[in-house]
Amino acid sequence: MNKRKLLALPFLLLNSAIIIAALFKGMQISLGYYPLVGLDELSFGNYQQVLTNPFFQKSLVYSVYLALTATFLSLLLGLFLAFLLLKVNSGWLHKIISLPISLPHIIVALMVMQLISQTGILSRLFYQLGWIQEIGQFPLLIHDPGGIGILLVFLYKEIPYVAISTLAILQQLELGYVEVAKNLGASSLRIFWSILLPMLQKTLASLFIILFCFTFASFEVPYLLGSPSHQTVALTAYDLFTQADLMTRPQAFALNLVISGICLGVTLLVLAISRVLPGGRKTS
C-alpha cells in the first residue's frame, strides 16, 4: 500500500462506518424494531404494507416514468450535442453549455417555475401580446400530471452533463474509422453499431445509471413542481416520515430501502446489458 492510499484510509474507514451504521439502523427500523414507539419484534410487515399499497404502486409507476423519460431524452440529446460540440470548436460555447451543470437543482426548479407557470414570465408575455385572453388560458406546465416542469428541470441539468461527459471521451477517440467506414459504403446504423457504440457504450451505461438513480430518488424538484395527485416515491417516503404518528416511521424506512433496492437492481441490470453489447467484456 502506497503512502497516498494509506493517508486516505482513515477517511474511507470513517465514512464506511457511518454509511454501514446508518444502513443497519435503517434496516433495523424497517423490520419493525423501533423501541421508541414500543415495537420490538422483527418482521417484514412494513415491506408488505408498502409494496401492496395502491398509492405506493401508483407513485412507483410515476417515478419510473419520470426517471426513464428524463434519462433517455438526456442521453439522446446530450449525445447529439456532444457530436455538435466536437465539430464546433468554440471555447465560449463550451462554457455556456457547461453552465447548467454548476447550478443546483432547486435553483433551476425555481427558474422554471418563474418562467412557465400560469403566472410566470411566458404567460404574462403571451397575455401582453394578445395570444391569450387571460392568464388562466396558459397551458398548465407546473404541478401538472405529466410532470412537464419536472422533466424540463432534469433535462436542463442533465443534457449538458451528458454532452460534456461524452465529449471528453469523443475527443480522445480515433474517429477516423467513421470516415473510412463511410467511404467503404457502411450505413449510418452499421457505423453506429460497429464503431461508435463500442467506443461509447460503457460511458453511456454509467451515465444511465447515474441519471436514472438520481431522478428516480429525487425529492426537491418533484416537491416544488409536482402535482399533489401524482407523487413520486421520494415524496411518499417523506410524507410517511413527517407524519405526527411515529408508527408510520418504520414504513418510511422500508420505502427508502425499497428505493435503494430498485436503484441497485437497475444498476446491476444495466451493467449486465453493457457486458453483452459491442464494447463490453464479452465482446471486446
Side-chain angles (χ1 to χ4, degrees), residues 97-142:
I97 297 298
S98 304
L99 180 61
I101 300 177
S102 62
L103 296 176
H105 278 78
I106 191 170
I107 299 299
V108 178
L110 294 174
M111 290 168 50
V112 170
M113 183 183 295
Q114 293 295 324
L115 181 65
I116 64 172
S117 67
Q118 287 190 315
T119 57
I121 297 174
L122 283 183
S123 66
R124 296 179 185 181
L125 178 61
F126 284 14
Y127 178 76
Q128 293 296 328
L129 293 174
W131 295 351
I132 57 176
Q133 301 303 316
E134 56 183 24
I135 296 297
Q137 292 180 343
F138 190 78
L140 183 64
L141 303 177
I142 300 295

Side-chain angles (χ1 to χ4, degrees), residues 58-73:
K58 180 181 178 181
S59 66
L60 176 62
V61 172
Y62 187 64
S63 297
V64 171
Y65 150 72
L66 291 176
L68 287 179
T69 303
T71 301
F72 278 117
L73 288 178

Side-chain angles (χ1 to χ4, degrees), residues 2-280:
N2 58 39
K3 186 177 180 180
R4 289 185 177 181
K5 292 183 179 179
L6 186 62
L7 292 174
L9 188 59
F11 173 80
L12 294 175
L13 290 176
L14 178 61
N15 282 271
S16 299
I18 294 174
I19 293 173
I20 293 174
L23 181 61
F24 176 78
K25 186 65 175 181
M27 292 182 63
Q28 187 182 51
I29 296 176
S30 69
L31 290 173
Y33 186 79
Y34 197 30
L36 182 64
V37 294
L39 300 176
D40 55 5
E41 294 184 5
L42 298 179
S43 71
F44 289 96
N46 293 313
Y47 289 93
Q48 183 178 1
Q49 291 181 25
V50 166
L51 295 174
T52 58
N53 189 318
F55 188 80
F56 163 74
Q57 296 171 356
K58 180 181 178 181
S59 66
L60 176 62
V61 172
Y62 187 64
S63 297
V64 171
Y65 150 72
L66 291 176
L68 287 179
T69 303
T71 301
F72 278 117
L73 288 178
S74 297
L75 289 176
L76 290 175
L77 298 176
L79 189 58
F80 173 79
L81 183 58
F83 279 104
L84 183 63
L85 292 174
L86 189 64
K87 294 181 179 180
V88 181
N89 189 14
S90 174
W92 64 267
L93 182 59
H94 287 206
K95 292 180 180 179
I96 293 176
I97 297 298
S98 304
L99 180 61
I101 300 177
S102 62
L103 296 176
H105 278 78
I106 191 170
I107 299 299
V108 178
L110 294 174
M111 290 168 50
V112 170
M113 183 183 295
Q114 293 295 324
L115 181 65
I116 64 172
S117 67
Q118 287 190 315
T119 57
I121 297 174
L122 283 183
S123 66
R124 296 179 185 181
L125 178 61
F126 284 14
Y127 178 76
Q128 293 296 328
L129 293 174
W131 295 351
I132 57 176
Q133 301 303 316
E134 56 183 24
I135 296 297
Q137 292 180 343
F138 190 78
L140 183 64
L141 303 177
I142 300 295
H143 309 306
D144 61 304
I148 295 177
I150 299 173
L151 291 174
L152 287 177
V153 172
F154 288 143
L155 292 177
Y156 179 80
K157 286 281 296 178
E158 293 170 1
I159 290 175
Y161 176 70
V162 173
I164 298 302
S165 300
T166 52
L167 179 63
I169 302 299
L170 289 173
Q171 289 174 335
Q172 300 175 12
L173 298 178
E174 180 55 62
L175 295 180
Y177 294 115
V178 175
E179 298 300 326
V180 173
K182 287 181 180 179
N183 293 333
L184 293 175
S187 64
S188 299
L189 182 61
R190 184 65 178 176
I191 292 174
F192 174 78
W193 186 262
S194 300
I195 300 176
L196 295 179
L197 184 60
M199 293 178 176
L200 293 173
Q201 72 94 356
K202 288 185 178 180
T203 301
L204 294 177
S206 300
L207 289 171
F208 182 96
I209 292 171
I210 294 171
L211 299 182
F212 178 89
C213 293
F214 180 85
T215 53
F216 179 77
S218 176
F219 169 77
E220 68 273 21
V221 178
Y223 182 77
L224 290 173
L225 305 179
S227 170
S229 60
H230 291 75
Q231 285 194 356
T232 62
V233 287
L235 287 178
T236 303
Y238 174 79
D239 287 343
L240 288 172
F241 193 84
T242 55
Q243 287 185 17
D245 185 8
L246 295 180
M247 297 296 290
T248 63
R249 193 70 58 87
Q251 295 179 28
F253 277 92
L255 183 52
N256 278 313
L257 287 173
V258 168
I259 295 173
S260 301
I262 292 174
C263 291
L264 178 61
V266 169
T267 299
L268 296 177
L269 177 63
V270 172
L271 291 177
I273 294 174
S274 176
R275 287 172 61 90
V276 300
L277 288 176

